[in-house]
Amino acid sequence: MTDTIVAHELVKTYGDVRALDSLSLSVPEGTVLGLLGPNGAGKTTALRVLTTLLRPDSGSAAVAGIDVLADPDRAREVIGVSGQNAAVDEYLTGFENLDMIGRLYHLGRSKSRDRAHALLEQFQLSEAADRPAKTWSGGMRRRLDLAGALVAEPPVLFLDEPTTGLDPRSRTDLWEVIGGLVQRGTTLLLTTQYLEEAERLADDIMVIDRGTAIAQGTADELKAKVGGERLEIIARDEDDVATIVSTVSNLGSDKPDVGGRRICLPVVTGPTALMEALRRLDDKGIELNDVGLRRPTLDDVFLSLTGHAAEESEPTPTEAVT
Amino acid sequence: MTLAMTASDGWTVARRNIFRMARNPEVVIWSTIQPIMFIVLFVYVFDSIPTPGISYEEYVMAGIFAQTVMFNSALTGVGLAEDIQKGIIDRFRALPMARSAVLIGRTTSDLVNGLAQLAVMVVVGLAVGWRTSSSPLEVLAGLGLILLIAYVFSWISAAVGLSVKSVEVANSAGFVWMFPVTFVSNVFVDINQLTPAVRNIAIWNPMSAFVAAIRELFGNTSEEIPQPDVWPLQNPVLASFLWLALILAIFVPLSVRQYKKASSR
């Protein structure tokens, strides 16, 4: 299998900030790579380099065998890009937005029109097609923006945080749409802050921090690394916290994380650990406010992989490095 | 990228901007109210400014034409800054389209606005007593020159709008340089009556050449207001074309360069 998206030792600095610090990645044809990281990790910067929007200080990048830096015009013909903020023109109707993009891909007038109609249909936007996008909901605009990336049926697709800021329902809808594309063999690089999103959509996940890859693998491999589920216990009385920690600690795959009355313990098999923990705590007569299992979040991944929480990873508050 | 492709991409972008104008007519409406305001203010408030041998209405209209299209050109930069902020420029930049098309489209569609302004100004000018006294062909040439000035100033504005970090800055930075360019010139007063220091700058101001050229083409000149003895004002029409060509030669490549670097963040 050939690699359709390749980045080799990309470096991009803004002043003292290394937005990309020798980042390399490759996405085999027809697969999905999820670039997972917090704000400021360098996800968007990497995507901007690969989509010809930004020149790196050094390194190389290629899509579908075309050198992005040497031949950006040809690269643009094979890629579709959907950005973080739905880049639709709000004064244009949904149809006009897509029709314009078709023309700018030089599909010709009638093919542009046909593609616009077909995509509006496919994304269930036909009813609103002739209303200015200004009147659309956030989820609809995001779908329109994604449709814009597909106008020329590009073999390579880049999605930058496709569901950030959407409500859960719109997010699930969009996941289904993206899942459908992937089934048709599109090679996709997507960035996300949500482990759940990467798990749902990506074959392979790369965790990046401070412009460099810190882990890569399937969702299961990553979870094995970060310890699968979390057992979360909230004590009723803060004085009990130390006892609870000593009672349940050996059920975990890693050290517990304690904050206030909250104890968070990475566990390998959730239900077993949960039952055992409850049995032991009950034996000791310790009362709890809440207890449950939850899936690891980006924060947990970060804590396990880097030892620091996701929010702290941003070296400076400059927006330039997102 | 062929020339035909550039033209077709430019037209696609211009078409988009014209759709926007049609859906958001306030911009065009207010930008035509502004020159009405200027004509009325100058003609009635500054009526006592001496313009020997010609009525002030007839003298000042050429200046107001040029000043209005120049001020209006700031919209080009504001529009582009807005497109950058909304991520639209990012989308365009990732498409296999001509690099200059977004700028050609924007400057062209802003000319539609300029045309509306010009029509309103002509009507209001005639209403307050402005008349031309040259041949119809010269009047047409004068109107054409005004539109050409509008177009060329749009490219300066484009470079500004693509270089600043926000729409708000595009708005103020786009205007600030225009005030000295308009006031240190023959736009509102007889250039000979300026203080010598100011006059020495004003006679070389391209704006003075533009306005002198418009006055000449409309026949709004007076023998009692001699042109200073410098080449651009002795040959204002030719000088205007040279100035406009020079501005384009600088600002078209500069704007395209800024466009290639433009980024929403």
Side-chain angles (χ1 to χ4, degrees):
Chain A
M1 208 163 11
T2 53
D3 288 331
T4 300
I5 304 173
V6 184
H8 185 65
E9 294 183 356
L10 294 177
V11 174
K12 179 76 195 177
T13 55
Y14 293 99
D16 292 340
V17 182
R18 289 178 88 79
L20 292 178
D21 193 359
S22 199
L23 181 74
S24 298
L25 59 84
S26 56
V27 190
E29 190 179 346
T31 68
V32 182
L33 176 67
L35 220 47
L36 179 69
N39 273 330
K43 305 185 299 288
T44 301
T45 310
L47 210 88
R48 292 180 68 82
V49 170
L50 286 162
T51 56
T52 78
L53 294 177
L54 184 72
R55 284 193 80 84
D57 299 338
S58 65
S60 63
V63 289
I66 301 161
D67 186 330
V68 170
L69 301 175
D71 203 352
D73 280 328
R74 266 184 66 217
R76 290 181 193 115
E77 282 170 23
V78 299
I79 62 171
V81 188
S82 176
Q84 216 172 100
N85 318 302
V88 300
D89 189 323
E90 47 188 13
Y91 286 104
L92 297 194
T93 66
F95 171 78
E96 285 163 354
N97 264 294
L98 296 180
D99 179 54
M100 172 182 76
I101 294 170
R103 289 171 184 226
L104 293 174
Y105 268 113
H106 308 119
L107 299 183
R109 213 175 278 191
S110 70
K111 180 121 194 268
S112 298
R113 243 194 311 256
D114 293 347
R115 274 303 285 162
H117 284 306
L119 283 164
L120 288 164
E121 187 79 31
Q122 185 190 337
F123 285 77
Q124 295 167 8
L125 295 168
S126 291
E127 260 176 59
D130 294 323
R131 278 197 281 126
K134 202 163 61 159
T135 64
W136 292 22
S137 71
M140 288 165 75
R141 286 192 211 189
R142 211 59 89 84
R143 293 215 296 277
L144 183 63
D145 189 55
L146 179 58
L150 304 174
V151 166
E153 300 178 81
V156 187
L157 202 56
F158 294 92
L159 304 180
D160 192 12
E161 302 199 10
T163 67
T164 297
L166 288 186
D167 60 84
R169 168 79 203 280
S170 308
R171 172 170 297 166
T172 320
D173 284 354
L174 208 57
W175 282 349
E176 256 161 47
V177 172
I178 298 170
L181 298 174
V182 171
Q183 277 176 357
R184 266 174 276 158
T186 308
T187 307
L188 168 63
L189 176 65
L190 107 145
T191 73
T192 180
Q193 298 192 43
Y194 309 113
L195 184 58
E196 191 190 356
E197 181 162 281
E199 183 179 2
R200 167 94 188 242
L201 297 172
D203 301 304
D204 212 14
I205 301 171
M206 177 183 272
V207 184
I208 72 168
D209 181 35
R210 296 178 186 174
T212 193
I214 54 174
Q216 185 169 7
T218 62
D220 285 339
E221 285 164 0
L222 278 183
K223 277 196 190 153
K225 230 178 229 176
V226 303
E229 283 165 307
R230 286 337 192 230
L231 174 62
E232 203 165 68
I233 300 170
I234 300 182
R236 172 154 297 172
D237 192 338
E238 194 151 356
D239 298 340
D240 288 338
V241 169
T243 325
I244 297 173
V245 169
S246 65
T247 311
V248 302
S249 268
N250 67 348
L251 295 171
S253 57
D254 205 344
K255 289 196 312 277
D257 177 28
V258 183
R261 287 182 295 138
R262 182 178 152 281
I263 300 120
C264 184
L265 183 71
V267 292
V268 180
T269 43
T272 320
L274 176 63
M275 281 190 291
E276 181 59 27
L278 286 177
R279 198 173 299 129
R280 291 182 190 177
L281 293 172
D282 192 40
D283 284 349
K284 294 196 176 174
I286 293 172
E287 288 191 67
L288 305 175
N289 256 1
D290 196 9
V291 61
L293 286 171
R294 66 171 174 79
R295 302 148 71 83
T297 63
L298 177 62
D299 272 333
D300 300 319
V301 174
F302 260 76
L303 207 57
S304 309
L305 293 173
T306 67
H308 63 82
E311 297 83 27
E312 294 164 15
S313 73
E314 198 166 4
T316 63
T318 163
E319 282 181 324
V321 294
T322 53
Chain B
M1 205 60 64
T2 65
L3 205 63
M5 230 182 227
T6 305
S8 133
D9 290 349
W11 168 240
T12 303
V13 175
R15 196 168 153 266
R16 168 236 173 194
N17 295 336
I18 292 167
F19 283 153
R20 283 175 67 91
M21 271 187 223
R23 305 246 159 82
N24 196 12
E26 288 95 334
V27 176
V28 180
I29 291 168
W30 281 101
S31 69
T32 52
I33 289 173
Q34 189 193 309
I36 297 177
M37 212 61 191
F38 266 105
I39 294 172
V40 171
L41 279 177
F42 274 94
V43 166
Y44 294 107
V45 179
F46 294 109
D47 198 29
S48 57
I49 291 179
T51 47
I54 184 171
S55 74
Y56 188 64
E57 290 88 309
E58 286 183 276
Y59 183 80
V60 81
M61 274 307 291
I64 292 179
F65 282 129
Q67 181 242 19
T68 301
V69 296
M70 177 166 99
F71 272 57
N72 191 56
S73 72
L75 281 181
T76 304
V78 172
L80 286 168
E82 217 171 77
D83 281 350
I84 292 177
Q85 201 167 56
K86 297 246 163 91
I88 307 249
I89 296 288
D90 276 353
R91 162 137 268 164
F92 284 142
R93 285 182 61 227
L95 290 174
M97 60 191 279
R99 298 293 89 184
S100 53
V102 171
L103 305 175
I104 291 173
R106 170 65 66 173
T107 50
T108 306
S109 58
D110 283 343
L111 209 50
V112 173
N113 202 345
L115 199 63
Q117 275 190 324
L118 185 58
V120 170
M121 282 192 288
V122 166
V123 171
V124 177
L126 290 171
V128 298
W130 166 68
R131 297 288 181 271
T132 58
S133 60
S134 52
S135 72
L137 214 62
E138 283 173 304
V139 172
L140 271 182
L143 295 171
L145 177 62
I146 295 169
L147 286 175
L148 193 64
I149 294 169
Y151 184 73
V152 170
F153 272 122
S154 268
W155 280 95
I156 301 181
S157 177
V160 175
L162 292 168
S163 307
V164 297
K165 293 260 179 283
S166 74
V167 179
E168 291 75 15
V169 178
N171 217 333
S172 44
F175 276 114
V176 74
W177 61 273
M178 294 180 178
F179 291 99
V181 170
T182 349
F183 283 90
V184 185
S185 76
N186 58 0
V187 169
F188 304 117
V189 294
D190 171 7
I191 204 164
N192 299 303
Q193 296 177 24
L194 298 169
T195 60
V198 176
R199 183 177 174 275
N200 284 337
I201 303 171
I203 54 176
W204 294 103
N205 183 349
M207 194 66 173
S208 297
F210 297 150
V211 174
I214 298 168
R215 283 189 182 127
E216 189 171 301
L217 289 167
F218 286 163
N220 292 151
T221 51
S222 158
E223 278 173 17
E224 292 167 54
I225 306 179
Q227 287 296 357
D229 195 18
V230 291
W231 187 84
L233 295 184
Q234 291 296 324
N235 306 278
V237 177
L238 182 57
S240 292
F241 280 105
L242 291 177
W243 272 120
L244 293 172
L246 179 69
I247 295 172
L248 283 181
I250 295 171
F251 283 93
V252 171
L254 184 65
S255 300
V256 173
R257 209 189 71 155
Q258 293 305 107
Y259 172 81
K260 286 186 192 162
K261 292 196 302 186
S263 145
S264 63
R265 64 202 111 240

